[in-house]
């Protein structure tokens, strides 16, 4: 059974940085980061493939966010730099336990296991 535990959220000023962590137990095909702002749909932020470390980013975070993983610690990170108020949301990591079903890494349908979420607030 795959389990995911996120941490690292908090309050940060615009232009600041945060690093989110997702500790993963179990086997998985890929790990994605999603976010959901109040009243908004959950949206894909980034994804890392476990077989070849390929990374994927939504256009709105390219150049600002970096996804990575530490195999020894079974942890996937999301380094968030140059944060904006629009980045305020609950961030979730999610596990894709099998090959992509064809709807794309940004589709929530591709992920079977979800963490509990961690709140990121960007405000002065």
């Amino acid at each position: 059974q795959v389990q995911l535990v996120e941490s690292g959220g908090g309050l940060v000023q615009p232009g600041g940085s945060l690093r989110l962590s997702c500790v993963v137990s179990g086997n998985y095909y890929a790990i994605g980061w999603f976010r959901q702002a109040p009243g908004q749909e959950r949206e894909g932020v980034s994804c890392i493939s476990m077989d070849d470390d390929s990374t994927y980013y939504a256009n709105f975070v390219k150049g600002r966010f970096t996804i990575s993983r530490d195999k020894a610690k079974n942890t996937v990170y999301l380094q968030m730099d140059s944060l904006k108020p629009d980045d305020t949301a609950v961030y979730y990591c999610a596990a894709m336990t099998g090959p992509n079903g064809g709807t794309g890494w940004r589709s929530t349908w591709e992920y079977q296991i979800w963490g509990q979420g961690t709140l990121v607030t960007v405000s002065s």
Side-chain angles (χ1 to χ4, degrees):
Q1 180 69 31
V2 177
Q3 294 185 340
L4 310 173
V5 179
E6 303 107 329
S7 62
L11 173 63
V12 63
Q13 293 186 342
S17 298
L18 280 177
R19 188 178 76 163
L20 305 183
S21 300
C22 176
V23 179
V24 182
S25 59
N27 297 316
Y28 50 90
Y29 189 78
I31 291 291
W33 283 98
F34 286 75
R35 70 185 188 185
Q36 189 167 20
Q40 303 295 316
E41 292 188 355
R42 194 168 296 188
E43 60 181 359
V45 175
S46 185
C47 176
I48 186 166
S49 172
M50 295 299 105
D51 62 352
D52 62 3
D53 285 338
S54 295
T55 57
Y56 307 88
Y57 297 94
N59 286 337
F60 53 79
V61 301
K62 279 183 179 177
R64 299 190 299 124
F65 291 10
T66 303
I67 192 170
S68 63
R69 65 170 175 147
D70 184 327
K71 295 179 183 180
K73 295 183 179 180
N74 293 322
T75 301
V76 174
Y77 301 101
L78 185 68
Q79 177 67 41
M80 305 186 297
D81 299 319
S82 302
L83 283 162
K84 306 174 182 179
D86 285 350
D87 294 319
T88 295
V90 177
Y91 283 71
Y92 300 88
C93 64
M96 194 185 297
T97 58
N100 189 300
T103 58
W105 70 266
R106 296 191 64 190
S107 171
T108 59
W109 294 102
E110 296 289 350
Y111 299 84
Q112 293 74 41
I113 308 295
W114 292 81
Q116 81 285 356
T118 185
L119 177 62
V120 172
T121 303
V122 185
S123 175
S124 55

